[in-house]
Amino acid sequence: MGTQDTQESNQQASASGTGRRALLGAAVLGAAGGVLGLSGTARADEARHGGRGGLAGLPVPTIIGHRGASGYRPEHTLGSYQLALDLGADIVEAGDLVPTKDGHLVCRHEPEIGGTTDVADHPEFAGRRTTKVLDGVATTGWFTEDFTLAELKTLRAVERIPANRPHNTLYNGRWEIPTFEEVLAWQDEQTRRRGKQVWIYPETKHPTYFRKLGLGLEERVAKLLHKHGKDRKNSPVVVQSFEPTSIQRLNKLIANPLVVLLSSASSRPWDFVETGDPRTVADLVTRAGLREIAGYAQGIGPTLDLVVPKDANGNLTTPTTLVRDAHAVGLILHPYTLRNENPFLPANFRKGTDADAYGDVFGAYRAYFATGIDGVFTDNPDTGLLARADFVNG
Ligand code: G3P
Ligand code: CA
C-alpha cells in the first residue's frame, strides 16, 4: 500500500501520547467511578478503569492471553493458562467453554476435538467419529457432547497448528482437557499465591447449537460462577460470546462484565440466523447497533479487521470509526487476535515467508494500539506486554 509508511508514522507519532494518557487515566478515572450522568465516552473510561462493570485495576491497553499463551503451549490447557499468567498477562482467556454429554463445561475452542487432542489415537473412541452440521457447517470429527467428562479426561491435548508452531509439539500429551470448575479453582489458587487478583475471560461457544441439544451454556456458567462467588459486577471474570442472545441471557443471570464478540462485517451471528434476525455484524457496528449492545454488555470484541481493515493485498489501511463509536456509547473494545507468526500478521508486517517465523509484530501492535483500543487478545502475551511498554513510554 502506497500510503502505508506515512500512515504508520502518523500512528506511531500519536501512539505515545495516547498511551500515556490511557495509563494516567487509569489512576485518575479509577477514583472517579460512580459519577452520575456520565457521557458515553466517560462511561467507557469508567468501564475501562474500574467503574460499574469495569475491569478494576487492570492496565490499558489490557493484554489478554488468548487461549492462555497458545503461541508457546497447546491451547486451552492449564499449562497454557499458567504460562500466560507467568508471562504477565493481565487476563487469561480460560477458556472457550463447551459441554460434555453429562453436562460439565470443559475448555476447548470447538466442540470438535480432533485437532486439539489425541482422540484419533484412541481406538475405543473410533466409533464416535461422525459428521455434524455445526452452525450451518458440515464438520467431521469427535465432539465433546458425545463424551462424558470421565471419557474426555482420558485424552491429552496437542498443538493445533504444528506447521506454525513446531516447538509446541514438545508438549503434546502433557496436559488434560481442563474443566471450567478446575479453572476457577486454579484462578483462586493463583490469586492466593500471588497476592494479586487473577482475571479470566471465558467464552460461551456455539450457545444456540448446544441449547438445541439440551445443553444450555449460560445457566451452567452462571451456576459455577455463583458457586465460586464470582458472579458479581466486580468479580474478576469477563464473559464473552459471538452470540448476542447468549450475552443477553447472561446479563439476566450474572452481574459480571460482558463482551459481545464480532466476526467479519458480512457475517451473521448464528443466533440471528436461527431466529431470522436479518442483521449482520455490519449492522451491529453502526451507532444504533452499538447503542443496543451497550444496553446489555460492557464491551465488544471485534476482529482486528473491523478496527483497521486490510486492502486486497492484506496490508493495513485507515482505521474505521469503530473505536470512537463504541467509546461514544460507553463500550470498551478488546479486539482479537494478535499472533507473532508471519501468516497471522498484516502483509506489511511480515518478514519473509516462513510460516513459523515471526514478523514485525511490534509494528503491528503500534498500529493497533494507536487506534485507542482498550486491550487485545494475543497468543503471545509477553510480546504484547513489551509492545504496551513501548507504547506507553513512547
Ligand atoms: O474470544 C476472543 C477470540 O478468542 C475470539 O475468537 O475464535 O479464538 O474464540 P476465537
Ligand atoms: Ca475465544
Side-chain angles (χ1 to χ4, degrees):
M1 188 184 73
T3 59
Q4 188 61 43
D5 290 346
T6 308
Q7 182 194 333
E8 262 186 71
S9 43
N10 286 344
Q11 288 168 333
Q12 288 167 23
S14 67
S16 55
T18 309
R20 285 195 196 95
R21 279 196 300 279
L23 277 195
L24 180 62
V28 174
L29 291 164
V35 175
L36 297 175
L38 296 172
S39 68
T41 302
R43 281 194 290 122
D45 284 336
E46 185 188 44
R48 277 176 283 169
H49 304 306
R52 185 185 184 285
L55 315 184
L58 294 181
V60 176
T62 306
I63 301 302
I64 305 156
H66 184 240
R67 311 180 196 173
S70 55
Y72 312 115
R73 297 289 185 272
E75 68 187 36
H76 286 312
T77 58
L78 285 178
S80 184
Y81 300 156
Q82 186 66 50
L83 183 59
L85 209 53
D86 291 346
L87 290 173
D90 301 311
I91 315 185
V92 181
E93 194 201 25
D96 291 321
L97 300 177
V98 292
T100 65
K101 183 180 185 176
D102 46 350
H104 296 275
L105 293 176
V106 295
C107 303
R108 289 289 90 192
H109 181 255
E110 293 289 325
E112 200 290 301
I113 53 173
T116 62
T117 71
D118 62 358
V119 65
D121 299 332
H122 285 251
E124 70 275 25
F125 297 135
R128 310 268 179 102
R129 189 170 187 271
T130 186
T131 299
K132 301 190 184 197
V133 179
L134 178 60
D135 294 1
V137 179
T139 307
T140 299
W142 293 261
F143 295 79
T144 59
E145 67 267 25
D146 295 335
F147 291 77
T148 65
L149 178 59
E151 288 172 334
L152 282 181
K153 281 292 188 182
T154 67
L155 307 180
R156 292 294 179 271
V158 301
E159 172 54 41
R160 173 197 291 277
I161 45 173
N164 306 101
R165 294 171 175 165
H167 294 117
N168 294 8
T169 61
L170 174 66
Y171 307 102
N172 283 358
R174 181 166 286 263
W175 291 290
E176 302 174 353
I177 297 175
T179 65
F180 187 43
E181 187 132 40
E182 288 166 350
V183 163
L184 293 169
W186 169 83
Q187 179 189 23
D188 288 339
E189 182 195 343
Q190 293 299 316
T191 296
R192 268 195 307 276
R193 279 192 189 178
R194 289 158 197 269
K196 181 185 171 195
Q197 184 60 63
V198 167
W199 284 70
I200 61 169
Y201 210 134
E203 176 184 345
T204 57
K205 293 302 269 208
H206 306 286
T208 296
Y209 169 82
F210 284 120
R211 186 160 293 278
K212 287 175 83 171
L213 295 178
L215 291 166
L217 298 178
E218 295 82 5
E219 295 82 358
R220 287 177 166 80
V221 170
K223 187 174 170 187
L224 285 177
L225 289 179
H226 182 70
K227 178 179 168 187
H228 288 259
K230 298 179 183 180
D231 58 346
R232 305 181 188 123
K233 68 181 181 186
N234 59 353
S235 295
V237 182
V238 188
V239 188
Q240 49 172 333
S241 183
F242 278 105
E243 296 191 16
T245 55
S246 180
I247 295 298
Q248 289 165 1
R249 202 180 293 273
L250 285 163
N251 188 41
K252 293 181 180 147
L253 297 170
I254 57 176
N256 303 66
L258 301 172
V259 168
V260 174
L261 297 169
L262 300 167
S263 190
S264 64
S266 61
S267 68
R268 268 171 90 196
W270 187 252
D271 51 339
F272 284 16
V273 175
E274 289 274 349
T275 60
D277 186 328
R279 291 179 296 169
T280 64
V281 165
D283 298 305
L284 295 181
V285 297
T286 61
R287 290 184 180 188
L290 292 167
R291 204 174 303 116
E292 182 183 313
I293 291 173
Y296 56 83
Q298 282 65 49
I300 55 171
T303 172
L304 284 163
D305 289 351
L306 289 172
V307 177
V308 189
K310 299 190 189 88
D311 65 17
N313 295 317
N315 298 317
L316 289 191
T317 62
T318 305
T320 66
T321 61
L322 182 58
V323 173
R324 186 189 70 201
D325 294 344
H327 284 172
V329 296
L331 292 168
I332 58 172
L333 297 92
H334 289 160
Y336 64 92
T337 301
L338 269 162
R339 300 176 166 101
N340 285 2
E341 295 89 356
N342 274 317
F344 307 115
L345 287 167
N348 47 319
F349 292 104
R350 293 177 192 155
K351 286 183 177 175
T353 55
D354 287 351
D356 61 346
Y358 287 177
D360 174 19
V361 71
F362 289 114
Y365 272 100
R366 274 196 299 278
Y368 289 119
F369 282 164
T371 65
I373 57 176
D374 302 287
V376 69
F377 287 85
T378 174
D379 289 7
N380 309 84
D382 52 340
T383 310
L385 289 164
L386 285 171
R388 178 175 71 199
D390 292 347
F391 177 69
V392 169
N393 296 324

